[in-house]
Amino acid sequence: FFFAIVSSDMRLRYTTLAVVAALLGAASADRPAPRSALQQRRRLDGLNAPRPVNEGRAAVRRLQGGAGSPKLLRQLKIPLAFTCWYLFSIVYSIANKQVLSAWNFPCTSAAAQLAVGALSVLLLWTPLPLGGEKRLRLRSPPSLDANDVRKLVPVASCLAAGHLLSTVAPAYGTVAFTNVVKTLEPLFTCAFSALLLGQTFPLPVYLSLLPVVFGVCLASASEVSFSAVSLTSGLLSNVAFALRAIAAKSVMSGGDIGSNLTSQNLYGVLTLMALLGCLPVAALVEGPRIAAGTAATVEKMGRRTFARQLLLLGTSHYFYNECAFLALSSVHPVTHAVANTVKRVAVILISLVVFRNPLTPAGALGSAVAIGGVFLYSLAKARC
Protein backbone atom coordinates (compact mmCIF):
# COMPACT_ATOMS: atom_id res chain seq x y z
CA PHE A 1 0.00 0.00 0.00
CA PHE A 2 2.84 2.36 0.87
CA PHE A 3 4.67 1.79 -2.40
CA ALA A 4 1.42 2.27 -4.33
CA ILE A 5 1.02 5.68 -2.75
CA VAL A 6 4.63 6.72 -3.31
CA SER A 7 4.56 5.77 -6.99
CA SER A 8 0.97 6.75 -7.92
CA ASP A 9 -0.16 9.86 -9.74
CA MET A 10 0.57 13.08 -7.86
CA ARG A 11 -2.97 14.36 -8.25
CA LEU A 12 -4.24 11.38 -6.27
CA ARG A 13 -1.85 12.25 -3.43
CA TYR A 14 -3.02 15.83 -3.21
CA THR A 15 -6.68 14.78 -3.43
CA THR A 16 -6.02 12.43 -0.51
CA LEU A 17 -4.37 15.24 1.46
CA ALA A 18 -7.34 17.53 0.77
CA VAL A 19 -9.81 14.90 1.96
CA VAL A 20 -7.76 14.28 5.12
CA ALA A 21 -7.60 18.02 5.78
CA ALA A 22 -11.38 18.25 5.55
CA LEU A 23 -11.82 15.26 7.87
CA LEU A 24 -9.34 16.67 10.38
CA GLY A 25 -11.12 19.99 10.25
CA ALA A 26 -14.38 18.26 11.05
CA ALA A 27 -12.66 16.25 13.75
CA SER A 28 -11.36 19.36 15.46
CA ALA A 29 -14.53 21.38 15.00
CA ASP A 30 -16.57 19.41 17.53
CA ARG A 31 -13.84 19.28 20.15
CA PRO A 32 -14.20 21.99 22.79
CA ALA A 33 -11.21 24.31 22.96
CA PRO A 34 -9.14 23.59 26.08
CA ARG A 35 -9.13 26.50 28.46
CA SER A 36 -6.94 25.64 31.39
CA ALA A 37 -3.28 26.53 31.60
CA LEU A 38 -2.49 22.87 32.34
CA GLN A 39 -4.14 21.69 29.14
CA GLN A 40 -2.40 24.34 27.02
CA ARG A 41 0.94 23.54 28.62
CA ARG A 42 0.54 19.88 27.67
CA ARG A 43 -0.24 20.81 24.11
CA LEU A 44 2.81 23.05 23.92
CA ASP A 45 5.02 20.38 25.47
CA GLY A 46 4.30 18.30 22.41
CA LEU A 47 3.87 14.59 22.40
CA ASN A 48 5.77 13.65 25.58
CA ALA A 49 3.48 15.19 28.22
CA PRO A 50 2.20 12.55 30.67
CA ARG A 51 -1.51 12.57 31.39
CA PRO A 52 -3.53 10.75 34.06
CA VAL A 53 -5.65 7.76 33.08
CA ASN A 54 -8.91 9.59 33.70
CA GLU A 55 -7.87 12.53 31.55
CA GLY A 56 -6.87 10.21 28.70
CA ARG A 57 -10.21 8.45 28.86
CA ALA A 58 -12.05 11.75 28.97
CA ALA A 59 -10.20 12.88 25.85
CA VAL A 60 -11.30 9.72 24.07
CA ARG A 61 -14.91 10.30 25.11
CA ARG A 62 -14.76 13.90 23.85
CA LEU A 63 -13.30 12.76 20.57
CA GLN A 64 -15.91 10.05 20.07
CA GLY A 65 -18.90 11.96 21.32
CA GLY A 66 -19.05 15.16 19.25
CA ALA A 67 -22.67 15.87 18.43
CA GLY A 68 -21.97 17.94 15.35
CA SER A 69 -20.33 15.14 13.30
CA PRO A 70 -21.92 12.19 11.52
CA LYS A 71 -21.89 9.02 13.60
CA LEU A 72 -19.61 7.17 11.21
CA LEU A 73 -17.05 9.99 11.21
CA ARG A 74 -17.03 10.09 15.02
CA GLN A 75 -16.35 6.35 15.12
CA LEU A 76 -13.53 6.63 12.60
CA LYS A 77 -11.76 9.67 14.05
CA ILE A 78 -9.16 7.88 16.16
CA PRO A 79 -8.38 5.08 13.65
CA LEU A 80 -8.24 7.66 10.86
CA ALA A 81 -5.93 9.92 12.84
CA PHE A 82 -3.52 7.08 13.64
CA THR A 83 -3.58 5.74 10.08
CA CYS A 84 -2.86 9.17 8.60
CA TRP A 85 -0.19 9.86 11.23
CA TYR A 86 1.70 6.71 10.30
CA LEU A 87 1.18 7.16 6.56
CA PHE A 88 2.20 10.83 6.40
CA SER A 89 5.16 10.18 8.71
CA ILE A 90 6.49 7.47 6.39
CA VAL A 91 5.78 9.48 3.23
CA TYR A 92 7.45 12.55 4.74
CA SER A 93 10.58 10.65 5.81
CA ILE A 94 11.01 9.10 2.38
CA ALA A 95 10.15 12.26 0.43
CA ASN A 96 12.43 14.37 2.62
CA LYS A 97 15.45 12.17 1.90
CA GLN A 98 14.61 12.03 -1.81
CA VAL A 99 14.38 15.81 -2.07
CA LEU A 100 17.58 16.34 -0.10
CA SER A 101 19.43 13.83 -2.28
CA ALA A 102 18.55 15.81 -5.40
CA TRP A 103 18.48 19.29 -3.85
CA ASN A 104 20.99 19.45 -1.01
CA PHE A 105 19.76 22.66 0.62
CA PRO A 106 18.37 21.45 3.96
CA CYS A 107 17.80 24.90 5.49
CA THR A 108 15.87 26.10 2.45
CA SER A 109 14.00 22.80 2.31
CA ALA A 110 13.01 23.19 5.97
CA ALA A 111 11.69 26.70 5.26
CA ALA A 112 9.81 25.44 2.19
CA GLN A 113 8.16 22.72 4.26
CA LEU A 114 6.96 25.28 6.80
CA ALA A 115 5.79 27.57 3.98
CA VAL A 116 3.58 24.82 2.55
CA GLY A 117 2.32 24.05 6.05
CA ALA A 118 1.55 27.73 6.65
CA LEU A 119 -0.38 27.87 3.40
CA SER A 120 -2.31 24.74 4.39
CA VAL A 121 -3.40 26.13 7.75
CA LEU A 122 -4.33 29.49 6.23
CA LEU A 123 -6.56 27.67 3.75
CA LEU A 124 -8.19 25.78 6.61
CA TRP A 125 -8.89 29.07 8.39
CA THR A 126 -10.15 30.90 5.29
CA PRO A 127 -13.93 30.87 4.68
CA LEU A 128 -14.77 29.34 1.31
CA PRO A 129 -17.63 30.85 -0.73
CA LEU A 130 -20.60 28.55 -1.32
CA GLY A 131 -22.71 30.97 -3.33
CA GLY A 132 -24.49 34.07 -2.17
CA GLU A 133 -23.52 35.04 1.37
CA LYS A 134 -22.86 31.49 2.54
CA ARG A 135 -19.33 30.59 3.61
CA LEU A 136 -17.72 27.32 4.66
CA ARG A 137 -14.78 27.37 7.06
CA LEU A 138 -13.04 24.04 7.65
CA ARG A 139 -11.60 25.30 10.93
CA SER A 140 -12.27 28.31 13.12
CA PRO A 141 -9.08 30.38 13.54
CA PRO A 142 -7.70 31.30 16.97
CA SER A 143 -7.72 34.79 18.40
CA LEU A 144 -4.40 36.14 19.69
CA ASP A 145 -3.22 39.59 20.66
CA ALA A 146 0.32 40.97 20.44
CA ASN A 147 1.11 39.92 24.01
CA ASP A 148 0.02 36.34 23.30
CA VAL A 149 2.26 36.22 20.23
CA ARG A 150 5.24 37.50 22.24
CA LYS A 151 4.72 34.70 24.77
CA LEU A 152 4.87 32.12 22.01
CA VAL A 153 8.08 33.47 20.44
CA PRO A 154 10.45 31.30 22.56
CA VAL A 155 8.45 28.17 21.76
CA ALA A 156 8.32 28.98 18.03
CA SER A 157 12.05 29.80 18.01
CA CYS A 158 12.92 26.41 19.47
CA LEU A 159 10.56 24.74 17.01
CA ALA A 160 12.26 26.53 14.11
CA ALA A 161 15.74 25.54 15.32
CA GLY A 162 14.69 21.94 15.93
CA HIS A 163 13.06 21.66 12.53
CA LEU A 164 16.07 23.15 10.75
CA LEU A 165 18.51 20.82 12.47
CA SER A 166 16.34 17.73 12.05
CA THR A 167 16.23 18.49 8.30
CA VAL A 168 20.01 18.91 8.12
CA ALA A 169 20.59 15.51 9.81
CA PRO A 170 19.13 13.25 7.05
CA ALA A 171 20.82 15.37 4.39
CA TYR A 172 24.17 13.95 5.52
CA GLY A 173 23.11 10.60 6.98
CA THR A 174 20.55 7.85 6.54
CA VAL A 175 16.91 8.15 7.60
CA ALA A 176 17.31 5.15 9.90
CA PHE A 177 20.35 6.59 11.70
CA THR A 178 18.66 9.96 12.09
CA ASN A 179 15.64 8.35 13.74
CA VAL A 180 17.84 6.41 16.12
CA VAL A 181 19.67 9.58 17.19
CA LYS A 182 16.34 11.30 17.79
CA THR A 183 15.52 8.72 20.46
CA LEU A 184 17.90 10.65 22.75
CA GLU A 185 15.50 13.59 23.05
CA PRO A 186 14.07 12.37 26.42
CA LEU A 187 17.60 12.50 27.88
CA PHE A 188 17.87 16.23 27.16
CA THR A 189 14.30 16.84 28.31
CA CYS A 190 15.04 15.30 31.70
CA ALA A 191 18.34 17.17 32.01
CA PHE A 192 16.88 20.58 31.17
CA SER A 193 13.84 19.95 33.38
CA ALA A 194 16.18 19.43 36.33
CA LEU A 195 18.57 22.29 35.50
CA LEU A 196 16.08 24.98 34.47
CA LEU A 197 12.84 24.04 36.24
CA GLY A 198 14.11 22.08 39.22
CA GLN A 199 11.81 19.22 38.20
CA THR A 200 12.89 15.67 38.94
CA PHE A 201 11.38 12.30 38.08
CA PRO A 202 11.30 8.91 39.82
CA LEU A 203 14.35 6.66 39.51
CA PRO A 204 12.78 4.29 36.91
CA VAL A 205 12.52 7.21 34.47
CA TYR A 206 16.25 7.89 34.65
CA LEU A 207 17.17 4.20 34.56
CA SER A 208 15.15 3.77 31.36
CA LEU A 209 17.43 6.29 29.66
CA LEU A 210 20.51 4.08 30.08
CA PRO A 211 19.59 1.66 27.27
CA VAL A 212 18.75 4.62 25.05
CA VAL A 213 22.22 6.10 25.48
CA PHE A 214 23.89 2.71 25.06
CA GLY A 215 21.84 1.91 21.96
CA VAL A 216 22.61 5.21 20.24
CA CYS A 217 26.32 4.86 21.01
CA LEU A 218 26.35 1.32 19.62
CA ALA A 219 24.40 2.33 16.51
CA SER A 220 26.71 5.31 15.92
CA ALA A 221 29.86 3.25 16.27
CA SER A 222 28.47 0.62 13.87
CA GLU A 223 26.96 2.98 11.28
CA VAL A 224 28.37 2.13 7.85
CA SER A 225 27.79 5.60 6.40
CA PHE A 226 28.49 7.50 9.62
CA SER A 227 28.39 11.30 9.37
CA ALA A 228 29.52 13.60 12.14
CA VAL A 229 27.32 16.37 10.69
CA SER A 230 24.26 14.11 10.82
CA LEU A 231 24.99 13.01 14.39
CA THR A 232 25.68 16.56 15.60
CA SER A 233 22.61 18.00 13.88
CA GLY A 234 20.43 15.24 15.30
CA LEU A 235 21.71 15.82 18.83
CA LEU A 236 21.27 19.59 18.56
CA SER A 237 17.74 19.12 17.25
CA ASN A 238 17.04 17.07 20.38
CA VAL A 239 18.36 19.98 22.45
CA ALA A 240 16.10 22.43 20.59
CA PHE A 241 12.98 20.31 21.00
CA ALA A 242 13.75 19.71 24.67
CA LEU A 243 14.14 23.46 25.20
CA ARG A 244 10.84 23.95 23.37
CA ALA A 245 9.15 21.87 26.05
CA ILE A 246 10.86 23.89 28.80
CA ALA A 247 9.90 27.18 27.13
CA ALA A 248 6.33 26.00 26.83
CA LYS A 249 6.10 25.26 30.55
CA SER A 250 7.51 28.68 31.39
CA VAL A 251 5.13 30.43 29.01
CA MET A 252 2.02 28.62 30.18
CA SER A 253 2.73 29.19 33.86
CA GLY A 254 1.30 32.68 33.32
CA GLY A 255 -2.17 31.43 32.39
CA ASP A 256 -4.25 30.94 29.26
CA ILE A 257 -3.21 32.28 25.88
CA GLY A 258 -5.73 33.58 23.36
CA SER A 259 -9.04 31.94 22.54
CA ASN A 260 -9.92 28.90 20.45
CA LEU A 261 -6.29 27.82 20.66
CA THR A 262 -6.90 24.10 20.15
CA SER A 263 -4.00 21.70 19.66
CA GLN A 264 -4.27 21.93 15.88
CA ASN A 265 -4.67 25.71 15.86
CA LEU A 266 -1.70 26.01 18.19
CA TYR A 267 0.47 24.00 15.83
CA GLY A 268 -0.73 26.17 12.95
CA VAL A 269 0.26 29.36 14.78
CA LEU A 270 3.66 27.93 15.70
CA THR A 271 4.19 26.86 12.08
CA LEU A 272 3.62 30.42 10.87
CA MET A 273 5.97 31.84 13.50
CA ALA A 274 8.65 29.19 12.91
CA LEU A 275 8.59 29.98 9.19
CA LEU A 276 9.52 33.58 9.95
CA GLY A 277 12.50 32.29 11.93
CA CYS A 278 13.69 29.82 9.27
CA LEU A 279 13.62 32.17 6.29
CA PRO A 280 16.52 34.46 7.33
CA VAL A 281 18.65 31.47 8.39
CA ALA A 282 18.10 29.77 5.03
CA ALA A 283 18.93 32.99 3.19
CA LEU A 284 22.09 33.51 5.24
CA VAL A 285 23.44 29.94 5.07
CA GLU A 286 22.40 28.88 1.58
CA GLY A 287 21.36 32.08 -0.15
CA PRO A 288 24.47 32.57 -2.32
CA ARG A 289 24.21 29.03 -3.73
CA ILE A 290 20.48 28.46 -3.86
CA ALA A 291 19.81 29.97 -7.30
CA ALA A 292 22.45 27.96 -9.16
CA GLY A 293 21.74 24.79 -7.20
CA THR A 294 17.99 25.01 -7.76
CA ALA A 295 18.49 25.65 -11.49
CA ALA A 296 20.65 22.53 -11.77
CA THR A 297 18.09 20.44 -9.87
CA VAL A 298 15.20 21.73 -11.98
CA GLU A 299 17.11 20.96 -15.15
CA LYS A 300 17.71 17.41 -13.95
CA MET A 301 14.26 16.66 -12.47
CA GLY A 302 12.00 18.96 -14.46
CA ARG A 303 10.20 22.00 -13.09
CA ARG A 304 6.85 20.29 -12.49
CA THR A 305 8.36 17.22 -10.84
CA PHE A 306 10.49 19.36 -8.54
CA ALA A 307 7.52 21.55 -7.56
CA ARG A 308 5.36 18.49 -6.93
CA GLN A 309 8.01 16.93 -4.71
CA LEU A 310 8.30 20.08 -2.62
CA LEU A 311 4.52 20.34 -2.34
CA LEU A 312 4.22 16.70 -1.29
CA LEU A 313 7.04 17.17 1.22
CA GLY A 314 5.47 20.22 2.81
CA THR A 315 1.92 18.88 2.96
CA SER A 316 2.98 15.50 4.34
CA HIS A 317 5.09 17.25 7.00
CA TYR A 318 2.27 19.50 8.12
CA PHE A 319 -0.48 16.86 8.19
CA TYR A 320 1.86 14.33 9.79
CA ASN A 321 2.15 16.68 12.76
CA GLU A 322 -1.58 17.54 12.63
CA CYS A 323 -2.49 13.85 12.80
CA ALA A 324 0.06 13.25 15.55
CA PHE A 325 -1.49 15.99 17.71
CA LEU A 326 -5.00 14.67 17.08
CA ALA A 327 -4.13 11.01 17.62
CA LEU A 328 -1.84 11.24 20.62
CA SER A 329 -3.98 13.76 22.52
CA SER A 330 -6.89 11.32 22.37
CA VAL A 331 -5.46 8.17 23.91
CA HIS A 332 -3.92 6.95 27.15
CA PRO A 333 -0.18 7.63 27.58
CA VAL A 334 0.62 3.90 27.40
CA THR A 335 -1.16 3.70 24.03
CA HIS A 336 0.82 6.80 23.05
CA ALA A 337 4.09 5.06 23.97
CA VAL A 338 3.27 1.91 22.01
CA ALA A 339 2.05 3.84 18.95
CA ASN A 340 5.06 6.15 18.86
CA THR A 341 7.48 3.22 19.18
CA VAL A 342 5.78 1.24 16.41
CA LYS A 343 5.78 4.33 14.18
CA ARG A 344 9.50 4.88 14.63
CA VAL A 345 10.24 1.21 13.89
CA ALA A 346 8.08 1.39 10.75
CA VAL A 347 9.91 4.49 9.49
CA ILE A 348 13.32 2.90 10.09
CA LEU A 349 12.46 -0.43 8.44
CA ILE A 350 10.75 1.10 5.40
CA SER A 351 13.59 3.57 4.87
CA LEU A 352 16.10 0.70 4.94
CA VAL A 353 14.07 -1.11 2.27
CA VAL A 354 13.49 1.94 0.06
CA PHE A 355 17.04 3.31 0.13
CA ARG A 356 18.76 -0.08 0.59
CA ASN A 357 21.05 1.26 3.29
CA PRO A 358 23.41 -1.36 4.75
CA LEU A 359 22.87 -2.18 8.42
CA THR A 360 25.38 -4.14 10.47
CA PRO A 361 24.22 -6.58 13.19
CA ALA A 362 25.66 -4.27 15.84
CA GLY A 363 23.83 -1.31 14.28
CA ALA A 364 20.56 -3.24 14.27
CA LEU A 365 21.09 -4.24 17.90
CA GLY A 366 21.87 -0.67 18.93
CA SER A 367 18.79 0.65 17.14
CA ALA A 368 16.59 -1.97 18.80
CA VAL A 369 18.02 -1.25 22.26
CA ALA A 370 17.59 2.52 21.83
CA ILE A 371 13.98 2.21 20.64
CA GLY A 372 13.21 -0.26 23.42
CA GLY A 373 14.67 2.18 25.94
CA VAL A 374 12.45 4.98 24.66
CA PHE A 375 9.46 2.69 25.05
CA LEU A 376 10.40 1.94 28.67
CA TYR A 377 10.96 5.65 29.28
CA SER A 378 7.48 6.48 27.95
CA LEU A 379 5.90 3.83 30.20
CA ALA A 380 7.83 5.05 33.25
CA LYS A 381 6.99 8.69 32.51
CA ALA A 382 3.29 7.85 32.09
CA ARG A 383 3.20 6.49 35.64
CA CYS A 384 4.62 9.67 37.18
Side-chain angles (χ1 to χ4, degrees):
F1 177 69
F2 165 75
F3 289 107
I5 287 182
V6 171
S7 60
S8 63
D9 187 82
M10 296 296 295
R11 288 174 295 182
L12 177 60
R13 301 186 203 176
Y14 300 135
T15 301
T16 303
L17 290 170
V19 171
V20 170
L23 291 174
L24 290 175
S28 61
D30 62 353
R31 297 178 69 203
R35 296 180 179 179
S36 69
L38 177 61
Q39 289 171 313
Q40 292 197 40
R41 181 167 65 251
R42 282 174 179 152
R43 294 201 311 279
L44 280 165
D45 286 347
L47 305 179
N48 294 323
R51 293 176 287 114
V53 174
N54 291 338
E55 183 182 332
R57 291 174 179 170
V60 174
R61 288 196 296 270
R62 288 198 305 271
L63 191 63
Q64 294 176 334
S69 303
K71 182 179 179 180
L72 179 61
L73 179 60
R74 293 199 303 270
Q75 293 174 342
L76 292 177
K77 281 178 185 176
I78 294 179
L80 176 65
F82 272 89
T83 300
C84 293
W85 173 40
Y86 275 46
L87 179 60
F88 288 143
S89 177
I90 293 170
V91 170
Y92 168 73
S93 298
I94 302 303
N96 187 39
K97 182 62 177 179
Q98 289 175 336
V99 169
L100 291 173
S101 297
W103 190 56
N104 193 18
F105 295 96
C107 295
T108 306
S109 178
Q113 294 171 32
L114 294 177
V116 175
L119 178 61
S120 300
V121 74
L122 290 175
L123 290 175
L124 291 174
W125 287 339
T126 302
L128 305 175
L130 295 179
E133 297 182 357
K134 294 183 179 180
R135 296 289 187 273
L136 172 65
R137 195 194 301 268
L138 294 176
R139 182 177 303 166
S140 298
S143 177
L144 300 171
D145 57 28
N147 188 48
D148 295 329
V149 173
R150 281 195 296 270
K151 291 180 180 179
L152 292 175
V153 167
V155 184
S157 300
C158 293
L159 174 61
H163 180 57
L164 278 169
L165 292 164
S166 62
T167 306
V168 171
Y172 294 91
T174 65
V175 176
F177 179 66
T178 301
N179 275 271
V180 172
V181 173
K182 286 178 69 65
T183 60
L184 277 176
E185 183 179 335
L187 174 66
F188 295 98
T189 301
C190 288
F192 287 134
S193 295
L195 293 174
L196 302 179
L197 299 179
Q199 180 183 11
T200 58
F201 300 101
L203 182 61
V205 174
Y206 296 109
L207 291 179
S208 66
L209 293 173
L210 295 179
V212 180
V213 176
F214 172 76
V216 172
C217 291
L218 181 60
S220 300
S222 308
E223 176 67 12
V224 175
S225 54
F226 175 79
S227 168
V229 175
S230 179
L231 175 62
T232 304
S233 300
L235 291 175
L236 290 177
S237 72
N238 290 335
V239 172
F241 285 129
L243 288 175
R244 180 190 63 175
I246 301 300
K249 292 181 179 181
S250 300
V251 168
M252 294 315 301
S253 62
D256 293 354
I257 293 182
S259 61
N260 194 34
L261 199 62
T262 61
S263 296
Q264 291 160 298
N265 278 342
L266 175 61
Y267 182 70
V269 171
L270 292 177
T271 296
L272 291 167
M273 297 176 65
L275 173 60
L276 297 178
C278 286
L279 286 174
V281 176
L284 180 64
V285 175
E286 299 170 348
R289 301 180 291 112
I290 189 65
T294 302
T297 302
V298 169
E299 183 178 356
K300 181 179 180 180
M301 297 179 60
R303 182 176 301 176
R304 290 188 178 181
T305 302
F306 179 62
R308 288 171 181 171
Q309 283 293 100
L310 285 182
L311 185 58
L312 175 64
L313 181 62
T315 48
S316 61
H317 173 263
Y318 181 78
F319 286 112
Y320 143 55
N321 284 282
E322 278 259 349
C323 293
F325 269 92
L326 181 60
L328 299 182
S329 63
S330 309
V331 296
H332 187 273
V334 175
T335 306
H336 164 188
V338 174
N340 208 22
T341 302
V342 172
K343 188 268 298 181
R344 193 176 296 279
V345 171
V347 170
I348 291 175
L349 292 179
I350 291 177
S351 70
L352 290 174
V353 172
V354 172
F355 298 110
R356 300 181 180 180
N357 300 128
L359 184 64
T360 63
L365 176 62
S367 301
V369 171
I371 294 173
V374 171
F375 177 66
L376 294 176
Y377 166 83
S378 300
L379 295 181
K381 192 85 176 288
R383 292 183 171 88
C384 292

